Amino acid sequence: MKNTITLNNKYYKFLIYFVVVILINMASMTLFFRLDLTSNKIFSLSTPSRQVVSSLSEPFTVKIFITSKIPAPYNNIERYLRDLLQEYSIYNNKYFNYQFFNVSGAENEKSKKNQDLAQSYGIYPIQIQNIEKDEVKFKKAYMGLVLIHGNIIETIPTITSTEGLEFMITSKIQKMNNKISALLNVKEKIKVKLFLSSSLQIVGPYMNLSGLAEIPGKIENIVKKLNERNFGKLEFVNIDPSKDTSHNKEAEKNNIVALQWEEFRDRTGRKIPTDRGYAGIIVQHGEKIENIRLLQVFRVPLFGTQYRLSEMNEIEKNINESVENVINANEKIGYLTGHGTPEISTVGMPFTRQNEDKFLNNFTRLTKEDYTLNPIDLKENGIPETLPSLIIAGAKEKFSDYELYQIDQYLMKGRNLAVFVDSFKEIRQQNRSNWMGRSQNPVYMPVNNGLEKLLTHYGVDVRKSYVFDENCFKQNIPEAFGGGEQNIYFAPIIKNEFINKKLAFLKNIKGLVMLKVSPVELDEEKIKNNGLKAEKLFSSSERSWEVSEDINLSPMFIQLPKDNGRYKQMAMAYILEGSFPSYFADKPVPEKETEKDSADKNDKQNTEDKEKGIDMSNIMGGEVTIKKGKPGKIFVIGTSDILKDNVLDEKGMSPNSQFIMNVIDYLNGREEYAVMRSKSQRFNPLKDIKPDSKVLIKTVNIAGLPVLVILAGFVIWIRRRSRQRIIQQIFGK
């Protein structure tokens, strides 16, 4: 009887446990919970991602095309995407959908259809390296995704890493939301104008340009295709300046590439008359115009000037991006042009050595992912009040007082400034050499453009010197020149411990490389008196020194200072926040230069008014200077070289690129986006330790571990011997 009761109790317990397990599983289906133990929470959605996906009010679909069973390090991408997209769907299960497509084998009919579908979205297979049985092989694989929101389609054609993937997806969702809203508000058609002179068809074969006659049809098809995704807001206009010369001025005004040739004869003796032609595309909406290059012109040593037509898929991408810019789908920020600043590049402009210093290609490309860059010319127009921030990068030429007044009053309105200060202007001496026949080094002249007056008044100063650092970038020397490494002392490496981790957008930035940077100092008294908050972003190492005279940036001629007193740590960048005092608070409003030129006209007008019996002497007017501004921010760094293409990478994955974009996000009130961008940053440098400590660690790793094993074995042997004695004593009795 007792055995029967015990058996029944076991069954009851089993049944209860079974029911509990089922209930727990049912609860887990509705109550999702994930514990992310990583320091940066890289496997959890950031707050902006949750907010963006939660705000979706229409179906949003993600289609993923990825080849299965791909080798490391790509084999974790699919698993990461599944987890990431599942978490997106948790925060908006009603509208957010995702689907994985099998593209693993062409022999499968369904897989072949999926591959065709992927290619229709612009996703093509890439070649990846695979090591099998000690043999290197190459394999083609699809790794891309498409985001579809209504008629809007965004593509990430290649995903080779999980780094920054959440930021890319969230940014594109936000951009698509903004674009839909902007397109719905568009009243007039967005014109895509093709300027292509028929005269170019005559000289095209001599320039290795074929198929020029087919270009209008191809561009028209691209516009029709894009029209389906842009609510039919686009209109194609084909302009032939050869047939209608009235369009020549419009082409020149919009910087359309112009080719001109003198009369010549080809190999057959055929005479080609003197003529000219235009080739280019503009996207226009109202007064907003974006230029797209149809014809690439570049110089090749020995071969001279070469010409090449842009790829159609690249043109399609550039037109789509230009549409977003002209309708202001992204938030606008200002970029100061003129005054010797580098230019933001034209859409589709190729990289060449000629435009390396003149254009900020990578910076423009990265910034336009999230913002619309508005060129600001202070001589033509003022700074629009709607712009939340203004970038001033490497200005070399002097500002007039009225231009400084515009910048000052823009800040007083609670706006933000990002100032990249160049303390010196490099002057290369053409066709000059020293007595040994070698070309002379450039001369570095101090820059005094007037901005320093504003910055000093606000409480920050950029010194007229360069920071050299023993802890610097090391350049590999080719074997032909002896091999080894060359210290580039004017390119300091910023260590992790010298980066301000109190600021959230710098928390995941663990190292930076500066270039031709000047030290930045604060006027602590002004900062305190004005109630401003100043945060140092980073500084050089303790083994850095300052050079202000006889500057020579040739690595072979730079020597470490023998005087240890010259070494000191120097700040290189600050962010100031608060209500800034106006530099022009107690000064009269400066006059525009054009106003001075028109003074005689005004005097003449006043005389005429008096003759008519109109007395204007008692009527006063003019601009009102804001003496104390609304809360704003100023970012100041002592170099603009960190914006150039040799420092910023094209994809924006390097610490330098993420730092620049994080600063722009911070100035524009998107600090959470900045944190999300860099939370998966993989650059994790080892902490520098003293040589003695390195030797100790090596010794412990090599000899210490075997010693520990021997000691552990000795302890076990002693315990066993002790146990044997105890057993012998017990049973010996």
Side-chain angles (χ1 to χ4, degrees):
M1 182 70 178
K2 185 177 180 181
N3 291 337
T4 303
I5 294 173
T6 304
L7 187 62
N8 288 336
N9 288 337
K10 289 182 178 179
Y11 285 133
Y12 290 141
K13 287 182 179 179
F14 174 77
L15 183 61
I16 291 171
Y17 292 155
F18 182 74
V19 172
V20 169
V21 170
I22 292 176
L23 291 175
I24 291 174
N25 277 276
M26 291 178 65
S28 66
M29 292 174 65
T30 55
L31 300 174
F32 180 82
F33 176 78
R34 174 184 288 171
L35 186 63
D36 190 348
L37 299 178
T38 57
S39 60
N40 297 334
K41 304 297 180 185
I42 60 176
F43 296 106
S44 302
L45 279 189
S46 302
T47 302
S49 299
R50 298 174 186 175
Q51 292 172 345
V52 167
V53 76
S54 299
S55 66
L56 292 174
S57 56
E58 294 181 1
F60 188 98
T61 303
V62 183
K63 295 183 178 181
I64 304 96
F65 301 90
I66 188 165
T67 303
S68 59
K69 297 180 181 179
I70 51 180
Y74 311 106
N75 53 353
N76 67 329
I77 294 177
E78 182 178 356
R79 181 71 265 167
Y80 177 83
L81 272 173
R82 288 186 183 275
D83 293 341
L84 181 66
L85 296 175
Q86 182 184 5
E87 196 160 353
Y88 272 107
S89 65
I90 289 169
Y91 292 97
N92 197 333
N93 195 33
K94 183 178 180 181
Y95 294 113
F96 188 88
N97 308 287
Y98 64 94
Q99 183 179 3
F100 282 80
F101 289 83
N102 177 26
V103 288
S104 297
E107 67 280 354
N108 187 327
E109 184 177 349
K110 185 177 180 181
S111 177
K112 182 66 171 64
K113 289 183 179 179
N114 291 340
Q115 290 182 15
D116 293 339
L117 180 61
Q119 293 179 14
S120 70
Y121 288 120
I123 298 176
Y124 296 92
I126 61 172
Q127 202 170 57
I128 60 175
Q129 184 175 293
N130 184 21
I131 300 177
E132 292 182 1
K133 299 178 181 180
D134 298 329
E135 185 178 354
V136 177
K137 297 181 179 179
F138 292 94
K139 179 180 180 180
K140 287 187 176 181
Y142 286 85
M143 292 187 291
L145 60 82
V146 180
L147 301 98
I148 305 172
H149 190 27
N151 292 335
I152 308 297
I153 297 175
E154 286 285 341
T155 305
I156 304 178
T158 305
I159 303 172
T160 56
S161 170
T162 60
E163 186 176 346
L165 198 50
E166 181 197 347
F167 178 82
M168 281 193 286
I169 293 175
T170 298
S171 296
K172 287 190 178 294
I173 294 174
Q174 182 66 58
K175 181 192 289 187
M176 294 167 82
N177 272 335
N178 295 342
K179 188 174 181 179
I180 287 176
S181 300
L183 282 171
L184 292 176
N185 291 324
V186 168
K187 305 300 181 184
E188 299 177 357
K189 291 281 188 178
I190 303 165
K191 295 182 179 180
V192 180
K193 295 183 179 180
L194 170 66
F195 290 84
L196 186 62
S197 300
S198 54
S199 59
L200 289 175
Q201 297 178 23
I202 301 174
V203 295
Y206 307 103
M207 302 162 59
N208 294 322
L209 295 175
S210 58
L212 287 173
E214 302 170 2
I215 294 296
K218 291 181 178 180
I219 302 299
E220 186 175 9
N221 289 334
I222 288 175
V223 174
K224 286 181 180 179
K225 180 181 177 182
L226 291 175
N227 236 341
E228 297 174 1
R229 306 178 186 177
N230 290 276
F231 301 99
K233 299 290 185 178
L234 307 185
E235 179 185 345
F236 175 69
V237 180
N238 183 21
I239 298 173
D240 185 354
S242 295
K243 295 180 179 178
D244 188 353
T245 56
S246 64
H247 292 288
N248 287 355
K249 288 185 178 180
E250 185 181 4
E252 292 173 1
K253 179 182 177 182
N254 293 299
N255 297 317
I256 300 297
V257 172
L259 301 177
Q260 188 168 351
W261 57 93
E262 300 294 333
E263 180 181 316
F264 68 94
R265 293 183 181 273
D266 62 12
R267 294 179 180 178
T268 63
R270 178 190 174 193
K271 186 171 72 173
I272 309 298
T274 300
D275 206 343
R276 66 182 309 175
Y278 295 91
I281 303 171
I282 64 169
V283 178
Q284 182 177 10
H285 180 243
E287 296 182 356
K288 289 279 291 182
I289 296 175
E290 288 278 320
N291 187 307
I292 299 173
R293 287 187 171 248
L294 176 65
L295 187 65
Q296 312 291 354
V297 183
F298 50 95
R299 294 184 179 276
V300 178
L302 302 179
F303 294 95
T305 304
Q306 301 291 309
Y307 305 91
R308 179 172 60 85
L309 287 171
S310 300
E311 298 291 338
M312 288 299 124
N313 57 350
E314 190 68 22
I315 290 175
E316 179 181 341
K317 177 184 175 184
N318 291 334
I319 291 176
N320 191 47
E321 289 180 357
S322 297
V323 169
E324 295 171 1
N325 292 335
V326 297
I327 64 173
N328 298 324
N330 297 328
E331 185 175 358
K332 296 183 289 184
I333 58 175
Y335 180 87
L336 186 73
T337 59
H339 295 282
T341 61
E343 297 181 31
I344 47 178
S345 62
T346 304
V347 175
M349 176 168 289
F351 170 81
T352 64
R353 290 296 174 189
Q354 286 74 22
N355 66 21
E356 179 180 6
D357 292 326
K358 187 178 179 181
F359 292 96
L360 303 178
N361 297 295
N362 290 341
F363 172 74
T364 306
R365 190 178 295 109
L366 294 175
T367 308
K368 286 191 174 181
E369 287 290 326
D370 301 298
Y371 300 95
T372 297
L373 277 176
N374 271 30
I376 303 298
D377 188 342
L378 296 177
K379 294 181 179 179
E380 295 293 331
N381 300 297
I383 308 172
E385 295 184 10
T386 55
L387 293 178
S389 60
L390 174 67
I391 299 171
I392 305 174
K396 306 289 194 306
E397 298 170 5
K398 193 171 182 62
F399 290 83
S400 69
D401 286 343
Y402 187 74
E403 290 171 336
L404 294 176
Y405 179 79
Q406 291 181 77
I407 296 171
D408 175 88
Q409 292 299 289
Y410 173 78
L411 179 64
M412 294 304 109
K413 293 171 184 175
R415 304 310 182 194
N416 310 301
L417 294 175
V419 188
F420 298 80
V421 179
D422 283 344
S423 294
F424 297 95
K425 181 178 182 180
E426 182 179 304
I427 300 176
R428 296 185 176 274
Q429 303 183 67
Q430 300 282 344
N431 302 322
R432 291 186 62 185
S433 58
N434 58 19
W435 62 275
M436 296 179 65
R438 298 177 181 174
S439 59
Q440 292 185 350
N441 292 321
V443 175
Y444 294 89
M445 301 296 294
V447 173
N448 294 292
N449 55 25
L451 278 177
E452 63 276 356
K453 296 188 294 186
L454 295 185
L455 295 176
T456 302
H457 179 77
Y458 301 144
V460 63
D461 181 50
V462 180
R463 291 175 58 83
K464 293 291 187 289
S465 61
Y466 279 144
V467 176
F468 286 34
D469 201 328
E470 188 175 344
N471 186 64
C472 62
F473 177 77
K474 293 175 174 56
Q475 184 180 36
N476 291 324
I477 300 175
E479 292 293 335
F481 295 95
E485 292 180 334
Q486 177 71 61
N487 290 324
I488 310 298
Y489 292 115
F490 57 87
I493 290 180
I494 311 302
K495 297 181 180 179
N496 187 32
E497 56 264 35
F498 300 138
I499 298 175
N500 186 355
K501 299 301 178 180
K502 291 190 297 182
L503 298 173
F505 70 91
L506 290 179
K507 183 179 178 182
N508 300 319
I509 305 295
K510 310 224 175 128
L512 295 166
V513 179
M514 292 294 106
L515 187 64
K516 299 180 185 177
V517 62
S518 301
V520 183
E521 295 180 331
L522 289 182
D523 187 328
E524 300 288 353
E525 186 176 350
K526 283 186 179 179
I527 297 294
K528 183 179 178 180
N529 293 340
N530 293 323
L532 302 176
K533 176 186 175 184
E535 289 284 358
K536 179 171 65 176
L537 302 191
F538 54 83
S539 58
S540 62
S541 74
E542 302 94 336
R543 296 288 296 174
S544 61
W545 70 99
E546 197 174 358
V547 177
S548 58
E549 297 178 351
D550 299 327
I551 297 174
N552 188 341
L553 299 186
S554 177
M556 295 181 294
F557 295 100
I558 302 176
Q559 300 293 329
L560 293 173
K562 296 179 181 179
D563 181 9
N564 287 329
R566 288 187 61 188
Y567 292 103
K568 60 181 177 179
Q569 193 172 35
M570 288 170 278
M572 300 177 181
Y574 276 96
I575 280 185
L576 281 65
E577 299 183 45
S579 298
F580 294 88
S582 173
Y583 176 77
F584 295 91
D586 300 317
K587 300 180 178 69
V589 177
E591 293 183 357
K592 291 184 181 179
E593 293 180 1
T594 53
E595 290 177 351
K596 294 177 182 178
D597 297 336
S598 61
D600 294 337
K601 293 182 181 179
N602 292 336
D603 291 339
K604 182 179 179 182
Q605 182 65 43
N606 291 336
T607 303
E608 292 176 356
D609 290 339
K610 287 181 180 180
E611 290 175 354
K612 294 177 182 178
I614 304 173
D615 187 5
M616 307 290 290
S617 60
N618 294 325
I619 301 177
M620 305 293 291
E623 295 188 61
V624 178
T625 301
I626 305 173
K627 296 184 178 182
K628 185 77 171 179
K630 297 177 181 179
K633 302 171 188 170
I634 301 178
F635 164 74
V636 181
I637 189 169
T639 179
S640 71
D641 280 75
I642 59 170
L643 298 178
K644 293 183 178 178
D645 292 355
N646 59 341
V647 179
L648 297 186
D649 67 302
E650 184 178 351
K651 295 184 178 180
M653 293 300 179
S654 69
N656 271 50
S657 298
Q658 295 196 353
F659 165 72
I660 294 297
M661 294 310 302
N662 284 1
V663 166
I664 294 175
D665 281 341
Y666 181 77
L667 293 178
N668 288 277
R670 289 168 31 117
E671 187 175 6
E672 290 181 334
Y673 275 80
V675 175
M676 177 174 60
R677 176 189 287 107
S678 56
K679 76 175 186 178
S680 59
Q681 176 61 241
R682 294 187 176 185
F683 179 68
N684 290 298
L686 296 174
K687 186 176 181 180
D688 287 338
I689 57 177
K690 296 180 179 179
D692 294 342
S693 301
K694 290 182 180 179
V695 173
L696 179 61
I697 292 172
K698 286 181 180 179
T699 303
V700 170
N701 285 332
I702 296 173
L705 294 178
V707 170
L708 287 175
V709 172
I710 293 171
L711 290 175
F714 185 67
V715 170
I716 293 173
W717 178 77
I718 291 176
R719 291 186 63 184
R720 286 183 177 178
R721 291 286 298 173
S722 175
R723 185 167 174 268
Q724 288 177 358
R725 292 193 191 96
I726 293 171
I727 293 173
Q728 288 175 355
Q729 290 175 0
I730 293 173
F731 291 97
K733 297 178 180 179

